[in-house]
mmCIF file of all heavy atoms in Angstrom:
data_model
loop_
_atom_site.group_PDB
_atom_site.id
_atom_site.type_symbol
_atom_site.label_atom_id
_atom_site.label_comp_id
_atom_site.label_asym_id
_atom_site.label_seq_id
_atom_site.Cartn_x
_atom_site.Cartn_y
_atom_site.Cartn_z
ATOM 1 N N THR A 587 0.836 -1.202 0.000
ATOM 2 C CA THR A 587 0.000 0.000 0.000
ATOM 3 C C THR A 587 0.869 1.249 0.000
ATOM 4 O O THR A 587 0.600 2.220 -0.718
ATOM 5 C CB THR A 587 -0.918 0.006 1.233
ATOM 6 O OG1 THR A 587 -1.721 -1.169 1.213
ATOM 7 C CG2 THR A 587 -1.809 1.230 1.235
ATOM 8 N N MET A 588 1.939 1.200 0.779
ATOM 9 C CA MET A 588 2.850 2.335 0.884
ATOM 10 C C MET A 588 3.498 2.638 -0.459
ATOM 11 O O MET A 588 3.480 3.772 -0.940
ATOM 12 C CB MET A 588 3.911 1.998 1.936
ATOM 13 C CG MET A 588 5.007 3.003 2.134
ATOM 14 S SD MET A 588 6.084 2.443 3.493
ATOM 15 C CE MET A 588 7.549 3.420 3.164
ATOM 16 N N ILE A 589 4.058 1.623 -1.105
ATOM 17 C CA ILE A 589 4.833 1.853 -2.323
ATOM 18 C C ILE A 589 3.932 2.190 -3.509
ATOM 19 O O ILE A 589 4.351 2.885 -4.441
ATOM 20 C CB ILE A 589 5.737 0.641 -2.618
ATOM 21 C CG1 ILE A 589 7.010 1.090 -3.340
ATOM 22 C CG2 ILE A 589 5.006 -0.451 -3.368
ATOM 23 C CD1 ILE A 589 8.114 0.052 -3.338
ATOM 24 N N GLN A 590 2.694 1.731 -3.469
ATOM 25 C CA GLN A 590 1.765 2.056 -4.552
ATOM 26 C C GLN A 590 1.250 3.487 -4.456
ATOM 27 O O GLN A 590 0.605 3.974 -5.383
ATOM 28 C CB GLN A 590 0.619 1.044 -4.568
ATOM 29 C CG GLN A 590 1.061 -0.314 -5.102
ATOM 30 C CD GLN A 590 0.065 -1.420 -4.854
ATOM 31 O OE1 GLN A 590 -0.881 -1.283 -4.081
ATOM 32 N NE2 GLN A 590 0.280 -2.552 -5.501
ATOM 33 N N ARG A 591 1.556 4.181 -3.353
ATOM 34 C CA ARG A 591 1.208 5.599 -3.241
ATOM 35 C C ARG A 591 2.267 6.487 -3.899
ATOM 36 O O ARG A 591 2.059 7.688 -4.023
ATOM 37 C CB ARG A 591 1.069 5.995 -1.762
ATOM 38 C CG ARG A 591 0.013 5.216 -0.980
ATOM 39 C CD ARG A 591 -1.401 5.578 -1.362
ATOM 40 N NE ARG A 591 -1.773 6.927 -0.976
ATOM 41 C CZ ARG A 591 -2.324 7.259 0.185
ATOM 42 N NH1 ARG A 591 -2.560 6.339 1.095
ATOM 43 N NH2 ARG A 591 -2.654 8.506 0.437
ATOM 44 N N PHE A 592 3.390 5.889 -4.284
ATOM 45 C CA PHE A 592 4.449 6.658 -4.929
ATOM 46 C C PHE A 592 4.030 7.047 -6.344
ATOM 47 O O PHE A 592 3.295 6.319 -7.002
ATOM 48 C CB PHE A 592 5.748 5.855 -5.007
ATOM 49 C CG PHE A 592 6.392 5.527 -3.683
ATOM 50 C CD1 PHE A 592 7.501 4.700 -3.633
ATOM 51 C CD2 PHE A 592 5.897 6.030 -2.490
ATOM 52 C CE1 PHE A 592 8.105 4.386 -2.431
ATOM 53 C CE2 PHE A 592 6.492 5.722 -1.278
ATOM 54 C CZ PHE A 592 7.612 4.902 -1.250
ATOM 55 N N ASP A 593 4.538 8.188 -6.831
ATOM 56 C CA ASP A 593 4.269 8.638 -8.202
ATOM 57 C C ASP A 593 5.275 8.015 -9.169
ATOM 58 O O ASP A 593 5.960 8.715 -9.914
ATOM 59 C CB ASP A 593 4.349 10.166 -8.286
ATOM 60 C CG ASP A 593 3.157 10.844 -7.642
ATOM 61 O OD1 ASP A 593 2.124 10.175 -7.440
ATOM 62 O OD2 ASP A 593 3.258 12.045 -7.340
ATOM 63 N N VAL A 594 5.349 6.693 -9.154
ATOM 64 C CA VAL A 594 6.312 5.962 -9.979
ATOM 65 C C VAL A 594 5.550 5.035 -10.908
ATOM 66 O O VAL A 594 4.634 4.325 -10.473
ATOM 67 C CB VAL A 594 7.295 5.143 -9.106
ATOM 68 C CG1 VAL A 594 8.222 4.296 -9.981
ATOM 69 C CG2 VAL A 594 8.105 6.056 -8.201
ATOM 70 N N ASP A 595 5.931 5.032 -12.175
ATOM 71 C CA ASP A 595 5.374 4.085 -13.139
ATOM 72 C C ASP A 595 6.201 2.800 -13.017
ATOM 73 O O ASP A 595 7.177 2.607 -13.739
ATOM 74 C CB ASP A 595 5.461 4.659 -14.551
ATOM 75 C CG ASP A 595 4.800 3.759 -15.583
ATOM 76 O OD1 ASP A 595 4.478 2.591 -15.264
ATOM 77 O OD2 ASP A 595 4.628 4.222 -16.731
ATOM 78 N N TRP A 596 5.823 1.951 -12.083
ATOM 79 C CA TRP A 596 6.634 0.767 -11.795
ATOM 80 C C TRP A 596 6.822 -0.146 -12.998
ATOM 81 O O TRP A 596 7.955 -0.589 -13.255
ATOM 82 C CB TRP A 596 6.045 0.006 -10.607
ATOM 83 C CG TRP A 596 6.130 0.782 -9.321
ATOM 84 C CD1 TRP A 596 5.097 1.357 -8.628
ATOM 85 C CD2 TRP A 596 7.314 1.091 -8.588
ATOM 86 N NE1 TRP A 596 5.566 2.010 -7.511
ATOM 87 C CE2 TRP A 596 6.925 1.854 -7.455
ATOM 88 C CE3 TRP A 596 8.670 0.799 -8.780
ATOM 89 C CZ2 TRP A 596 7.840 2.325 -6.517
ATOM 90 C CZ3 TRP A 596 9.584 1.270 -7.841
ATOM 91 C CH2 TRP A 596 9.177 2.011 -6.736
ATOM 92 N N PRO A 597 5.783 -0.472 -13.796
ATOM 93 C CA PRO A 597 5.995 -1.335 -14.966
ATOM 94 C C PRO A 597 7.001 -0.765 -15.962
ATOM 95 O O PRO A 597 7.782 -1.501 -16.561
ATOM 96 C CB PRO A 597 4.596 -1.448 -15.583
ATOM 97 C CG PRO A 597 3.659 -1.227 -14.438
ATOM 98 C CD PRO A 597 4.349 -0.188 -13.571
ATOM 99 N N ALA A 598 6.994 0.558 -16.108
ATOM 100 C CA ALA A 598 7.926 1.182 -17.049
ATOM 101 C C ALA A 598 9.376 1.010 -16.607
ATOM 102 O O ALA A 598 10.290 1.101 -17.431
ATOM 103 C CB ALA A 598 7.608 2.670 -17.201
ATOM 104 N N HIS A 599 9.573 0.726 -15.327
ATOM 105 C CA HIS A 599 10.925 0.523 -14.806
ATOM 106 C C HIS A 599 11.235 -0.946 -14.561
ATOM 107 O O HIS A 599 12.191 -1.274 -13.853
ATOM 108 C CB HIS A 599 11.114 1.330 -13.518
ATOM 109 C CG HIS A 599 11.121 2.810 -13.731
ATOM 110 N ND1 HIS A 599 12.224 3.499 -14.192
ATOM 111 C CD2 HIS A 599 10.141 3.736 -13.580
ATOM 112 C CE1 HIS A 599 11.936 4.780 -14.290
ATOM 113 N NE2 HIS A 599 10.684 4.956 -13.930
ATOM 114 N N GLY A 600 10.422 -1.828 -15.160
ATOM 115 C CA GLY A 600 10.703 -3.258 -15.096
ATOM 116 C C GLY A 600 10.106 -4.002 -13.922
ATOM 117 O O GLY A 600 10.444 -5.162 -13.687
ATOM 118 N N TYR A 601 9.210 -3.355 -13.190
ATOM 119 C CA TYR A 601 8.627 -3.991 -12.002
ATOM 120 C C TYR A 601 7.249 -4.576 -12.315
ATOM 121 O O TYR A 601 6.292 -3.837 -12.519
ATOM 122 C CB TYR A 601 8.510 -2.978 -10.860
ATOM 123 C CG TYR A 601 9.818 -2.758 -10.128
ATOM 124 C CD1 TYR A 601 10.697 -1.757 -10.531
ATOM 125 C CD2 TYR A 601 10.171 -3.563 -9.055
ATOM 126 C CE1 TYR A 601 11.901 -1.563 -9.858
ATOM 127 C CE2 TYR A 601 11.371 -3.373 -8.388
ATOM 128 C CZ TYR A 601 12.226 -2.377 -8.800
ATOM 129 O OH TYR A 601 13.426 -2.196 -8.140
ATOM 130 N N ASP A 602 7.181 -5.919 -12.343
ATOM 131 C CA ASP A 602 5.877 -6.565 -12.366
ATOM 132 C C ASP A 602 5.461 -6.807 -10.913
ATOM 133 O O ASP A 602 6.148 -6.382 -9.974
ATOM 134 C CB ASP A 602 5.916 -7.875 -13.167
ATOM 135 C CG ASP A 602 6.945 -8.870 -12.628
ATOM 136 O OD1 ASP A 602 7.449 -8.688 -11.492
ATOM 137 O OD2 ASP A 602 7.258 -9.843 -13.345
ATOM 138 N N GLU A 603 4.340 -7.472 -10.695
ATOM 139 C CA GLU A 603 3.826 -7.670 -9.336
ATOM 140 C C GLU A 603 4.831 -8.411 -8.453
ATOM 141 O O GLU A 603 5.072 -8.027 -7.307
ATOM 142 C CB GLU A 603 2.507 -8.448 -9.392
ATOM 143 C CG GLU A 603 1.857 -8.711 -8.041
ATOM 144 C CD GLU A 603 1.176 -7.478 -7.452
ATOM 145 O OE1 GLU A 603 1.008 -6.484 -8.176
ATOM 146 O OE2 GLU A 603 0.806 -7.537 -6.264
ATOM 147 N N ALA A 604 5.434 -9.460 -8.986
ATOM 148 C CA ALA A 604 6.371 -10.253 -8.185
ATOM 149 C C ALA A 604 7.599 -9.436 -7.789
ATOM 150 O O ALA A 604 8.051 -9.482 -6.639
ATOM 151 C CB ALA A 604 6.790 -11.503 -8.949
ATOM 152 N N ARG A 605 8.139 -8.680 -8.731
ATOM 153 C CA ARG A 605 9.330 -7.888 -8.413
ATOM 154 C C ARG A 605 8.996 -6.721 -7.487
ATOM 155 O O ARG A 605 9.825 -6.326 -6.662
ATOM 156 C CB ARG A 605 9.975 -7.386 -9.701
ATOM 157 C CG ARG A 605 10.761 -8.493 -10.409
ATOM 158 C CD ARG A 605 11.428 -8.016 -11.658
ATOM 159 N NE ARG A 605 12.379 -9.003 -12.153
ATOM 160 C CZ ARG A 605 13.017 -8.900 -13.301
ATOM 161 N NH1 ARG A 605 12.814 -7.844 -14.060
ATOM 162 N NH2 ARG A 605 13.858 -9.835 -13.686
ATOM 163 N N LEU A 606 7.800 -6.178 -7.630
ATOM 164 C CA LEU A 606 7.405 -5.100 -6.728
ATOM 165 C C LEU A 606 7.290 -5.628 -5.299
ATOM 166 O O LEU A 606 7.708 -4.965 -4.342
ATOM 167 C CB LEU A 606 6.082 -4.476 -7.180
ATOM 168 C CG LEU A 606 5.736 -3.114 -6.564
ATOM 169 C CD1 LEU A 606 6.815 -2.086 -6.856
ATOM 170 C CD2 LEU A 606 4.389 -2.639 -7.080
ATOM 171 N N ARG A 607 6.767 -6.830 -5.155
ATOM 172 C CA ARG A 607 6.686 -7.435 -3.816
ATOM 173 C C ARG A 607 8.083 -7.681 -3.251
ATOM 174 O O ARG A 607 8.324 -7.487 -2.053
ATOM 175 C CB ARG A 607 5.879 -8.730 -3.852
ATOM 176 C CG ARG A 607 4.383 -8.519 -4.068
ATOM 177 C CD ARG A 607 3.613 -9.820 -3.945
ATOM 178 N NE ARG A 607 3.686 -10.346 -2.586
ATOM 179 C CZ ARG A 607 2.927 -9.922 -1.575
ATOM 180 N NH1 ARG A 607 2.033 -8.956 -1.764
ATOM 181 N NH2 ARG A 607 3.051 -10.450 -0.376
ATOM 182 N N GLU A 608 9.013 -8.103 -4.097
ATOM 183 C CA GLU A 608 10.384 -8.287 -3.635
ATOM 184 C C GLU A 608 10.991 -6.947 -3.198
ATOM 185 O O GLU A 608 11.724 -6.882 -2.202
ATOM 186 C CB GLU A 608 11.241 -8.922 -4.726
ATOM 187 C CG GLU A 608 10.972 -10.394 -4.932
ATOM 188 C CD GLU A 608 11.937 -11.017 -5.928
ATOM 189 O OE1 GLU A 608 12.728 -10.280 -6.562
ATOM 190 O OE2 GLU A 608 11.909 -12.247 -6.073
ATOM 191 N N LEU A 609 10.690 -5.888 -3.941
ATOM 192 C CA LEU A 609 11.190 -4.571 -3.576
ATOM 193 C C LEU A 609 10.617 -4.131 -2.231
ATOM 194 O O LEU A 609 11.336 -3.576 -1.390
ATOM 195 C CB LEU A 609 10.844 -3.543 -4.656
ATOM 196 C CG LEU A 609 11.225 -2.087 -4.349
ATOM 197 C CD1 LEU A 609 12.733 -1.953 -4.124
ATOM 198 C CD2 LEU A 609 10.762 -1.163 -5.467
ATOM 199 N N VAL A 610 9.339 -4.391 -2.019
ATOM 200 C CA VAL A 610 8.714 -4.053 -0.740
ATOM 201 C C VAL A 610 9.399 -4.813 0.394
ATOM 202 O O VAL A 610 9.721 -4.238 1.442
ATOM 203 C CB VAL A 610 7.202 -4.348 -0.771
ATOM 204 C CG1 VAL A 610 6.614 -4.338 0.636
ATOM 205 C CG2 VAL A 610 6.485 -3.338 -1.649
ATOM 206 N N GLU A 611 9.647 -6.106 0.192
ATOM 207 C CA GLU A 611 10.332 -6.879 1.230
ATOM 208 C C GLU A 611 11.718 -6.299 1.513
ATOM 209 O O GLU A 611 12.132 -6.159 2.667
ATOM 210 C CB GLU A 611 10.458 -8.341 0.812
ATOM 211 C CG GLU A 611 11.159 -9.184 1.863
ATOM 212 C CD GLU A 611 11.373 -10.626 1.452
ATOM 213 O OE1 GLU A 611 10.814 -11.046 0.409
ATOM 214 O OE2 GLU A 611 12.120 -11.328 2.167
ATOM 215 N N PHE A 612 12.442 -5.944 0.450
ATOM 216 C CA PHE A 612 13.767 -5.351 0.594
ATOM 217 C C PHE A 612 13.688 -4.054 1.394
ATOM 218 O O PHE A 612 14.468 -3.805 2.327
ATOM 219 C CB PHE A 612 14.355 -5.105 -0.797
ATOM 220 C CG PHE A 612 15.705 -4.432 -0.807
ATOM 221 C CD1 PHE A 612 16.817 -5.059 -0.273
ATOM 222 C CD2 PHE A 612 15.855 -3.174 -1.371
ATOM 223 C CE1 PHE A 612 18.062 -4.437 -0.296
ATOM 224 C CE2 PHE A 612 17.092 -2.543 -1.396
ATOM 225 C CZ PHE A 612 18.196 -3.185 -0.856
ATOM 226 N N GLN A 613 12.719 -3.219 1.052
ATOM 227 C CA GLN A 613 12.534 -1.942 1.738
ATOM 228 C C GLN A 613 12.199 -2.168 3.216
ATOM 229 O O GLN A 613 12.745 -1.479 4.098
ATOM 230 C CB GLN A 613 11.429 -1.154 1.043
ATOM 231 C CG GLN A 613 11.174 0.228 1.599
ATOM 232 C CD GLN A 613 10.188 1.007 0.746
ATOM 233 O OE1 GLN A 613 10.097 0.833 -0.453
ATOM 234 N NE2 GLN A 613 9.432 1.874 1.388
ATOM 235 N N LEU A 614 11.313 -3.109 3.497
ATOM 236 C CA LEU A 614 10.954 -3.405 4.884
ATOM 237 C C LEU A 614 12.156 -3.912 5.674
ATOM 238 O O LEU A 614 12.356 -3.548 6.840
ATOM 239 C CB LEU A 614 9.827 -4.439 4.928
ATOM 240 C CG LEU A 614 8.446 -3.965 4.480
ATOM 241 C CD1 LEU A 614 7.497 -5.148 4.349
ATOM 242 C CD2 LEU A 614 7.879 -2.927 5.446
ATOM 243 N N ARG A 615 12.975 -4.740 5.043
ATOM 244 C CA ARG A 615 14.143 -5.272 5.739
ATOM 245 C C ARG A 615 15.178 -4.177 6.004
ATOM 246 O O ARG A 615 15.841 -4.183 7.048
ATOM 247 C CB ARG A 615 14.747 -6.431 4.956
ATOM 248 C CG ARG A 615 13.853 -7.667 4.930
ATOM 249 C CD ARG A 615 14.537 -8.868 4.297
ATOM 250 N NE ARG A 615 13.633 -9.991 4.187
ATOM 251 C CZ ARG A 615 13.335 -10.825 5.194
ATOM 252 N NH1 ARG A 615 13.885 -10.616 6.389
ATOM 253 N NH2 ARG A 615 12.511 -11.834 5.012
ATOM 254 N N ILE A 616 15.320 -3.258 5.086
ATOM 255 C CA ILE A 616 16.220 -2.124 5.317
ATOM 256 C C ILE A 616 15.722 -1.311 6.513
ATOM 257 O O ILE A 616 16.497 -0.952 7.419
ATOM 258 C CB ILE A 616 16.316 -1.224 4.068
ATOM 259 C CG1 ILE A 616 17.012 -1.963 2.913
ATOM 260 C CG2 ILE A 616 17.029 0.085 4.394
ATOM 261 C CD1 ILE A 616 18.473 -2.259 3.156
ATOM 262 N N MET A 617 14.418 -1.031 6.538
ATOM 263 C CA MET A 617 13.873 -0.259 7.654
ATOM 264 C C MET A 617 14.008 -1.022 8.962
ATOM 265 O O MET A 617 14.324 -0.445 10.008
ATOM 266 C CB MET A 617 12.417 0.114 7.376
ATOM 267 C CG MET A 617 12.284 1.174 6.302
ATOM 268 S SD MET A 617 10.622 1.868 6.147
ATOM 269 C CE MET A 617 9.713 0.481 5.506
ATOM 270 N N GLN A 618 13.790 -2.343 8.910
ATOM 271 C CA GLN A 618 13.925 -3.155 10.116
ATOM 272 C C GLN A 618 15.309 -2.978 10.737
ATOM 273 O O GLN A 618 15.444 -2.823 11.954
ATOM 274 C CB GLN A 618 13.700 -4.626 9.786
ATOM 275 C CG GLN A 618 13.900 -5.556 10.981
ATOM 276 C CD GLN A 618 13.858 -7.005 10.581
ATOM 277 O OE1 GLN A 618 14.419 -7.385 9.567
ATOM 278 N NE2 GLN A 618 13.193 -7.830 11.379
ATOM 279 N N SER A 619 16.340 -2.984 9.900
ATOM 280 C CA SER A 619 17.697 -2.876 10.437
ATOM 281 C C SER A 619 17.904 -1.552 11.154
ATOM 282 O O SER A 619 18.584 -1.490 12.182
ATOM 283 C CB SER A 619 18.721 -3.053 9.311
ATOM 284 O OG SER A 619 18.726 -1.947 8.430
ATOM 285 N N PHE A 620 17.293 -0.473 10.653
ATOM 286 C CA PHE A 620 17.436 0.827 11.299
ATOM 287 C C PHE A 620 16.555 0.950 12.541
ATOM 288 O O PHE A 620 16.910 1.660 13.486
ATOM 289 C CB PHE A 620 17.154 1.957 10.315
ATOM 290 C CG PHE A 620 18.296 2.214 9.375
ATOM 291 C CD1 PHE A 620 18.287 1.711 8.086
ATOM 292 C CD2 PHE A 620 19.401 2.946 9.793
ATOM 293 C CE1 PHE A 620 19.352 1.936 7.224
ATOM 294 C CE2 PHE A 620 20.474 3.183 8.941
ATOM 295 C CZ PHE A 620 20.453 2.669 7.645
ATOM 296 N N PHE A 621 15.387 0.280 12.547
ATOM 297 C CA PHE A 621 14.577 0.272 13.763
ATOM 298 C C PHE A 621 15.329 -0.429 14.895
ATOM 299 O O PHE A 621 15.319 0.020 16.037
ATOM 300 C CB PHE A 621 13.246 -0.451 13.527
ATOM 301 C CG PHE A 621 12.260 0.325 12.703
ATOM 302 C CD1 PHE A 621 11.583 -0.299 11.666
ATOM 303 C CD2 PHE A 621 11.986 1.656 12.968
ATOM 304 C CE1 PHE A 621 10.663 0.402 10.907
ATOM 305 C CE2 PHE A 621 11.071 2.372 12.209
ATOM 306 C CZ PHE A 621 10.402 1.733 11.176
ATOM 307 N N ILE A 622 15.967 -1.550 14.562
ATOM 308 C CA ILE A 622 16.662 -2.330 15.582
ATOM 309 C C ILE A 622 17.937 -1.634 16.039
ATOM 310 O O ILE A 622 18.251 -1.586 17.229
ATOM 311 C CB ILE A 622 16.976 -3.740 15.045
ATOM 312 C CG1 ILE A 622 15.668 -4.520 14.825
ATOM 313 C CG2 ILE A 622 17.892 -4.503 16.008
ATOM 314 C CD1 ILE A 622 15.866 -5.831 14.105
ATOM 315 N N SER A 623 18.686 -1.095 15.092
ATOM 316 C CA SER A 623 19.975 -0.476 15.421
ATOM 317 C C SER A 623 20.178 0.779 14.578
ATOM 318 O O SER A 623 20.765 0.716 13.497
ATOM 319 C CB SER A 623 21.109 -1.482 15.171
ATOM 320 O OG SER A 623 22.358 -0.913 15.481
#
């Protein structure tokens, strides 16, 4: 929901549904590391 609020044409940059979900997971894991430390 968060990333779909961005003004980005995700398909035009090579992101299908599966890759967008992977990007979301990557983003969440990056944030997790900063929340923890």
Side-chain angles (χ1 to χ4, degrees):
T587 302
M588 176 177 161
I589 210 164
Q590 287 167 347
R591 301 289 292 270
F592 295 174
D593 287 342
V594 175
D595 184 348
W596 294 109
H599 292 280
Y601 280 91
D602 58 14
E603 181 76 12
R605 283 181 168 174
L606 196 58
R607 289 186 65 81
E608 286 186 353
L609 176 60
V610 166
E611 180 183 350
F612 177 65
Q613 183 173 329
L614 289 170
R615 292 187 185 280
I616 293 293
M617 288 191 292
Q618 177 188 42
S619 70
F620 283 100
F621 286 134
I622 293 171
S623 180

